[in-house]
Amino acid sequence: MKKITVLGGSPLNGEITVSGSKNAALPIIFSCILTKGVSEIENLPDIGDVRSALSILREMGAAVRRSGDVTYIDTSSLTYVTPSERLVSSIRASTYLLGSCLSRFGRCDLMPFGGCAFASRPIDLHLSACKSFGAQLRRGSLASDGLCGANIDLSLPSVGATVNAILLAASAKGESRIGGCAVEPHIDALIAFLNSCGADIKRQDREIFVKGRRLHGGKIRVIGDYVEAGSYLVASLILGGDLSVRGCPTEDMSAVLDALRLLGAEIDIRGDCIRARLEGKSRRFKITAEPYPGFPTDLQPIFAPLMARFSGGEIEDTVWPTRFGYLKPLSSFGVDSAVFGSRAIVYPSRPLPAVCNAPDLRGGFSCLMLALLAEGESVISSADIILRGYADLEEKLSAVGAHIKIKNN
């Protein structure tokens, strides 16, 4: 395991370029299982989750090669094997094996699918989608003698269930309709990639229409990561200085930028570059995490240190109502807060250096921002969980003035 050592108190100055979207990259990688041929994927982020996903494909016989900014994945000769439990349990996106393996091999073993344990994360919607397309549960495995098109309505706009439904429908016999689907940008990215593979998929608002096809290799450039972009914009406000964030998918960030404006920040957008500054007095504000195009749940932990740094605020999460476990380690840095069901109050607080464990991916980044702010030395252990979602973290922050070192324990 790795640990991050930080000497806080320095502002950030310069420019950070965001990497490819983790949440777009992972569905695209697992969707390659459906295809026979070579796919070209540009701008894959070099993060732990992506490396784990590619390792799972290698276990099935995929050939993976990287040249510059392009990753080539050859899935011409895959064989179904039960993937390593260590890999499957390390990432939540391993749930996409359900749709992809059922489509390619007609089977998928149920395994301890992983990810951040910030809330109870059942897979009932995923399993229901699999059964709708003709899969049956047999002794701890899902199996199908041939998937058929289906007409389904998701009870919640779950990103994961939407991805699996698309993966099931893309190669199923006949036509499918998926209603009540998630509409996050990474859903459209997956659709674009599969259509480049020969699929026939169209989204109209919260409905997706699919005609099953045989798929070949495809090509796509992974979109910029709006969660990473939002994380660094928040860091720039917390730490001060003059930081620009480049490579932002600005069209996907309206809810995030609106939340920063509620604080009182001035937002300057020039192409794909965003600069956030707090020139006047800060304001207490509230955010409510909702399915896209609402404020993203992955950024609500990131906004807690922002509220603590300035005038306080309130956070409500309608996606994961209990996603407040990160507040306990934040208290080690002096953050004062209180939780009331699905909402939390964060009070203005003076940051202190601390030693803590990263609680989860986004909560870990929140700890890092406070460590960068507090004057003195802080240490964050279990840092691998942060590196699951932030590429080149040490290099990017060091280049703009942060004093940070990532080492093995």
Side-chain angles (χ1 to χ4, degrees), residues 213-280:
R213 295 282 189 269
R214 290 186 177 180
L215 305 181
H216 50 72
K219 184 176 182 180
I220 196 169
R221 179 175 177 81
V222 176
I223 58 178
D225 194 319
Y226 69 81
V227 178
E228 183 187 10
S231 299
Y232 286 126
L233 287 172
V234 169
S236 73
L237 290 168
I238 290 175
L239 300 172
D242 188 358
L243 180 70
S244 297
V245 182
R246 186 169 296 280
C248 301
T250 55
E251 66 279 6
D252 302 330
M253 297 181 64
S254 295
V256 178
L257 299 180
D258 286 346
L260 295 177
R261 292 186 181 101
L262 290 176
L263 169 73
E266 296 180 6
I267 307 297
D268 180 26
I269 303 174
R270 299 185 182 184
D272 70 349
C273 187
I274 303 178
R275 180 172 172 264
R277 297 277 287 173
L278 185 61
E279 302 288 358

Side-chain angles (χ1 to χ4, degrees), residues 105 212 288:
F105 308 110
T288 300

